Amino acid sequence: LRHFSSIGFWGLVNNAGISTFGETGWLSMEKYEKFADVNLLGSIRTTLAFLPLLRKYKGRLVFMSSVIAYFSLGNGIYSMTKAAIEKFCDALRLEMKKFGVQVCIIQPGNYARSTKIQPPVSAEEIWDELSEEAKAVYSKEYIQERANFFNSMLREGSANGNEVVDAMVDALMSPAPKARYMVAKLKEKALVFVCALFPTVVMDSVLSYALSK
């Protein structure tokens, strides 16, 4: 920090993130704590560390969120952390206005093929990690179906990661950056639209239908 304070500090990009697949009852408390620590608290830690310099030099703060902040399709733990980051940014953006600091959120869609953030899901590994109680509730066939669904989503991910990088560069360099950059397919944007404007029961029906395919 002493080094940066002598040359100026313009922008901070909070990009660190991890992802996993699994229904709520399959995941341990330790896993929830790890995801919150990396995806949420990690961004908060770096933000607090550099905030004095960003205020001093009227810089930019850029956070990597996701369209998954609005809905979940088998990765609720990741969705949870991204929704929390969104709210953290909403508060920070308003608070930083008086200092001339801009806060921007990048909301990518499915770029799994570009980032390799999520390896293919193994139904066998999930089954082996389940408690005896969970094994009595969920069949091996059900877990295989969910794993196949999630792996198909990973394969559909865009390989054009440069689209997200372009949004990050604009957030850092534009004279008038957007508060949010949604970089996603039309289908993903439509899901966000439904989630934001329609009753929850409608979104639940849409997602339940998608999960049944």
Side-chain angles (χ1 to χ4, degrees):
L1 288 176
R2 284 197 299 272
H3 175 69
F4 280 125
S5 63
S6 65
I7 62 174
F9 188 77
W10 171 252
L12 173 66
V13 178
N14 282 299
N15 184 50
I18 53 176
S19 178
T20 194
F21 161 80
E23 295 194 3
T24 304
W26 303 354
L27 305 172
S28 67
M29 191 62 214
E30 288 74 22
K31 190 156 281 189
Y32 276 99
E33 290 171 349
K34 178 181 179 181
F35 271 70
D37 191 52
V38 174
N39 292 5
L40 175 61
L41 299 181
S43 291
I44 294 173
R45 275 191 291 268
T46 54
T47 298
L48 294 179
F50 286 101
L51 211 51
L53 288 175
L54 289 161
R55 283 196 296 256
K56 180 178 179 180
Y57 295 105
K58 294 180 169 52
R60 303 277 173 89
L61 274 157
V62 181
F63 292 81
M64 189 60 63
S65 180
S66 171
V67 296
I68 291 296
Y70 295 91
F71 57 87
S72 176
L73 281 169
N75 52 353
I77 190 170
Y78 184 70
S79 180
M80 171 194 78
T81 60
K82 292 306 182 182
I85 277 289
E86 293 263 344
K87 293 304 108 183
F88 175 74
C89 292
D90 284 344
L92 187 65
R93 186 176 60 255
L94 291 173
E95 294 163 1
M96 289 297 107
K97 275 182 178 290
K98 56 183 170 288
F99 300 108
V101 175
Q102 304 267 12
V103 178
C104 306
I105 303 171
I106 313 296
Q107 299 172 314
N110 183 0
Y111 282 86
R113 286 169 59 204
S114 302
T115 63
K116 304 293 193 294
I117 191 172
Q118 170 72 58
V121 172
S122 166
E124 284 292 332
E125 287 181 13
I126 294 171
W127 180 260
D128 291 342
E129 291 178 5
L130 290 184
S131 66
E132 291 305 313
E133 187 217 6
K135 285 179 179 177
V137 175
Y138 299 96
S139 69
K140 225 172 185 179
E141 291 74 22
Y142 176 80
I143 291 173
Q144 186 65 64
E145 287 174 6
R146 296 297 94 223
N148 291 344
F149 170 81
F150 199 71
N151 285 333
S152 71
M153 282 180 54
L154 295 178
R155 288 191 295 271
E156 289 173 8
S158 173
N160 300 322
N162 59 292
E163 296 168 349
V164 181
V165 174
D166 288 347
M168 295 164 73
V169 171
D170 192 82
L172 286 170
M173 305 305 297
S174 171
K178 301 175 185 177
R180 283 177 167 83
Y181 291 79
M182 187 172 292
V183 191
K185 296 175 184 175
L186 183 60
K187 179 172 68 173
E188 293 164 329
K189 290 180 177 179
L191 279 174
V192 172
F193 178 81
V194 171
C195 188
L197 297 179
F198 285 73
T200 300
V201 66
V202 175
M203 191 61 179
D204 285 353
S205 297
V206 171
L207 295 178
S208 294
Y209 177 78
L211 284 166
S212 69
K213 290 295 162 188

